[in-house]
Amino acid sequence: MTERIGIGVLTRIVPRELVDEVILESGRREQRLRKLPARVVVYFVMAMTLFHGESYEEVMRKLVQGLRWLGSWRAEWTIPTPAALTQARQRLGNEVMRNLFERVAVPCALRSTKGAWLGRWRLMALDGFDVEVFDSPANGDRFGFSGKKKNEKGVFPKALVVGLAECGTHAIVAAELGAQRETEVALATRLLATDAVGDDMLIIADKGMYSHENMKRIKDGGADALFRAKMNNDLPILEWLPDGSYLSYSADPRRKMAAYERLRRGTIKISDLPGFPVRVFDYQVLGQGDEDELFTLVTTILDPEQAPAAGLAAAYHERWEIELVIDEVKTHQKGPGALLRSKTPELAEQELWGFLLSHYAVRKLMTEAADQADIDPDRLSFIRSLRVVRRQITGPADFSPEAP
């Protein structure tokens, strides 16, 4: 019977054949037939993140509820106990869920997807967020604590997540998990070194993510970058351009520091150091009274005819879409103020990858629906879509038509 367990329409996004392949590659295939084989545990972890407020037993009950309707219930099979489900999760580990997410989560916007592109560039946003985890000594040691104020210790341990998301579809296509001591910039640097960076992307990030190294990694991956920079960044004006932007140069900060005296005396130019050319422009967002804000944006797109400064400024504000993505995962899917339920770091990371995988699957389905209706995916409600997916889990569509 366990061969028939799935999670509704999401099995089309995460098919059983791929799950089996990833399990085999990760070395987690069972040596003997179990009541809870690894494939079932994968779908259980995904369902657990879709019904985060439910108990283990209730989540499993939802997965098998449709079997009675199908007449496929075996009398000898009973709902596993929470202890058995925890042991099954421990056998699975966290690498299977991570590897499955990396195989499944690819950009899903078509060229026709509304609001997803700037010219030839797929708009992507890079940002980080905290997720509160169960307060156990092991989780505290692994993830650390972070309060609202500097040097303030929070009540619960917090895992740190940095994600790369499509602005037009809200699909997270890459992520790195870590501890509070690692910083968002460090996790972003690690993420940008992966194959997730595509040559059709314009990766947008706030000034907290800006660094020479991060922009270099985006360039090395074949993509382009659009970062907000702090006002005190050393970006010299080399040439003014017709759209009000100017060409500049991003030098390796370590080499720049070593050559500080020669740069100050003018015996060398900053462009003599290892680095790459960039384009910079400033603009002001008008507020009320003294609330006007000055933005300095740095991009690797050097030709203003391909991407004028005004168009890039508008694209930068699409970065805020990732704030909505974070809210979808933390508030609507997990629940406001809810903790990850896992008491060990390995299972907490497994649970986080489950959240990211199920969120991607919902967003992929929403994108397909929006494309078919020829509307912007932003017009579809994530909350309503999530409810539809939850309802599908307990229906007869949950189960593969293939024989066990």
Side-chain angles (χ1 to χ4, degrees):
M1 187 200 73
T2 55
E3 292 294 309
R4 304 178 69 95
I5 293 176
I7 51 173
V9 293
L10 300 190
T11 53
R12 184 166 60 82
I13 309 299
V14 189
R16 55 184 284 180
E17 296 80 9
L18 178 60
V19 172
D20 288 343
E21 183 180 330
V22 171
I23 289 170
L24 182 62
E25 291 173 354
S26 303
R28 297 290 176 167
R29 185 175 181 179
E30 302 86 358
Q31 299 302 312
R32 61 187 177 88
L33 184 62
R34 294 181 180 273
K35 185 177 182 179
L36 288 169
R39 181 202 302 154
V40 171
V41 182
V42 166
Y43 287 132
F44 171 76
V45 171
M46 291 184 65
M48 187 179 74
T49 66
L50 290 169
F51 297 98
H52 191 256
E54 305 285 358
S55 68
Y56 275 11
E57 292 170 301
E58 184 61 26
V59 172
M60 181 57 75
R61 189 171 287 110
K62 291 179 185 297
L63 283 177
V64 301
Q65 184 173 340
L67 289 174
R68 289 190 175 90
W69 185 90
L70 289 172
S72 301
W73 185 269
R74 293 180 182 175
E76 68 272 17
W77 198 91
T78 57
I79 299 295
T81 65
L85 288 163
T86 298
Q87 291 171 5
R89 289 186 60 201
Q90 290 169 342
R91 289 195 301 271
L92 185 70
N94 63 1
E95 286 303 311
V96 170
M97 298 306 296
R98 174 176 185 144
N99 294 342
L100 194 57
F101 172 78
E102 291 176 349
R103 292 281 294 274
V104 169
V106 296
C108 51
L110 304 176
R111 286 298 310 182
S112 58
T113 302
K114 297 181 182 300
W117 302 84
L118 175 68
R120 71 172 184 86
W121 289 280
R122 184 189 300 269
L123 297 179
M124 309 292 296
L126 181 71
D127 205 355
F129 58 98
D130 297 323
V131 179
E132 291 185 327
V133 302
F134 189 91
D135 187 13
S136 68
N139 282 343
D141 291 342
R142 168 66 180 93
F143 300 113
F145 297 81
S146 175
K148 293 182 179 180
K149 298 179 181 179
K150 189 176 181 180
N151 299 323
E152 178 186 61
K153 182 179 178 180
V155 177
F156 298 102
K158 291 182 180 179
L160 185 60
V161 184
V162 168
L164 179 65
E166 268 189 318
C167 296
T169 67
H170 291 195
I172 300 174
V173 301
E176 285 289 336
L177 312 184
Q180 292 297 317
R181 58 183 173 273
E182 294 182 81
T183 76
E184 290 183 3
V185 175
L187 292 183
T189 303
R190 203 158 74 206
L191 184 155
L192 294 173
T194 68
D195 294 337
V197 177
D199 58 10
D200 64 346
M201 293 180 177
L202 176 61
I203 298 177
I204 310 169
D206 201 0
K207 56 187 177 183
M209 292 287 186
Y210 174 79
S211 72
H212 171 84
E213 179 64 23
N214 280 349
M215 294 196 74
K216 181 178 183 300
R217 293 204 173 194
I218 291 172
K219 275 181 60 67
D220 291 346
D224 280 295
L226 178 64
F227 280 50
R228 185 180 180 185
K230 296 178 182 178
M231 297 300 297
N232 59 353
N233 277 280
D234 184 14
L235 295 167
I237 299 173
L238 302 181
E239 179 187 347
W240 283 102
L241 298 172
D243 67 339
S245 62
Y246 62 88
L247 291 179
S248 186
Y249 192 81
S250 179
D252 184 326
R254 293 167 296 183
R255 300 291 292 273
K256 189 162 57 175
M257 185 177 298
Y260 174 77
E261 279 301 320
R262 288 186 293 162
L263 287 168
R264 188 180 65 82
R265 294 172 184 172
T267 56
I268 64 169
K269 297 182 294 184
I270 195 168
S271 55
D272 294 329
L273 301 175
F276 49 87
V278 294
R279 185 164 141 241
V280 185
F281 60 94
D282 301 322
Y283 66 97
Q284 192 172 35
V285 175
L286 299 180
Q288 296 180 352
D290 297 329
E291 298 299 319
D292 296 351
E293 189 171 6
L294 183 66
F295 286 73
T296 297
L297 299 189
V298 185
T299 182
T300 55
I301 303 174
L302 304 181
D303 186 353
E305 292 188 3
Q306 289 187 346
L312 288 173
Y316 174 77
H317 289 274
E318 291 295 311
R319 187 200 72 81
W320 291 103
E321 295 291 335
I322 199 170
E323 301 293 339
L324 301 177
V325 176
I326 294 169
D327 186 61
E328 289 170 3
V329 175
K330 292 182 61 174
T331 304
H332 302 306
Q333 191 176 341
K334 181 172 68 66
L339 305 175
L340 295 189
R341 68 179 80 198
S342 304
K343 298 180 181 180
T344 66
E346 185 177 35
L347 294 190
E349 292 187 15
Q350 179 195 83
E351 190 175 351
L352 271 170
W353 289 117
F355 267 107
L356 295 173
L357 183 59
S358 54
H359 176 271
Y360 175 84
V362 174
R363 270 292 165 186
K364 171 70 172 173
L365 293 167
M366 292 175 65
T367 301
E368 292 176 355
D371 285 337
Q372 291 173 9
D374 195 27
I375 60 174
D376 192 319
D378 285 348
R379 292 185 58 188
L380 299 181
S381 165
F382 177 79
I383 299 174
R384 290 184 179 180
S385 301
L386 185 61
R387 288 171 181 162
V388 169
V389 170
R390 286 169 173 165
R391 287 197 298 269
Q392 288 281 347
I393 287 178
T394 58
D398 307 348
F399 308 103
S400 170
E402 299 179 25

